[in-house]
Amino acid sequence: MRNKIDAVLGRTLVLIMSVMVINVLWQVFTRYVTGNPSSFTDELARYLMIWIGVLGAAYVSGRNLHVAIDILPLRQNEKTQKKLKIIVTILVILFVLFAFVIGGSRLVYISYVLGQQSPALQVPLALVYIIIPISGLLIMYYKISDLKNMKS
């Protein structure tokens, strides 16, 4: 299951990045060649960058490729290193639960209830923000899976 999620997430990130590159190229073309810059490309690039950053965090978390300060754990024995990994993983799960899942869900809900829309694209901002709780759930899935693998 984890490999399937990794594959889908990786393809999604490539697709979003491709759309962003085409979008920015279109912006450059319309600005410098036609002299009439496109009105939506700046906003779309901003929202795509948000999606890449937040989904990318979930992807990197799932692959355990995130930046880590490992000076303290490397100086400990294996048993202590395992305990530290478990503690850090639990702290990450709690942070993601409260910040991404609960906080992100509240942000989506408030944006939806208020009917906030983006200025140029006129899309509901709730659609832009929905990636935050989705990414949080993905990170939690990965970290819970890591905890199960540590204990076995």
Side-chain angles (χ1 to χ4, degrees), residues 82-121:
K82 186 174 181 178
K83 286 180 183 178
L84 284 172
K85 281 184 183 179
I86 290 171
I87 291 168
V88 168
T89 303
I90 290 170
L91 289 173
V92 168
I93 291 170
L94 290 173
F95 174 77
V96 168
L97 173 66
F98 289 109
F100 280 48
V101 178
I102 295 172
S105 297
R106 289 188 66 203
L107 177 63
V108 170
Y109 176 74
I110 290 168
S111 299
Y112 179 76
V113 168
L114 294 176
Q116 293 178 329
Q117 300 216 337
S118 67
L121 295 172

Side-chain angles (χ1 to χ4, degrees), residues 2 6 56-68 142-143 146:
R2 187 173 176 142
D6 281 344
Y59 183 74
V60 167
S61 176
R63 308 279 255 162
N64 288 316
L65 296 173
H66 44 68
V67 176
Y142 284 133
K143 292 302 157 193
D146 288 347

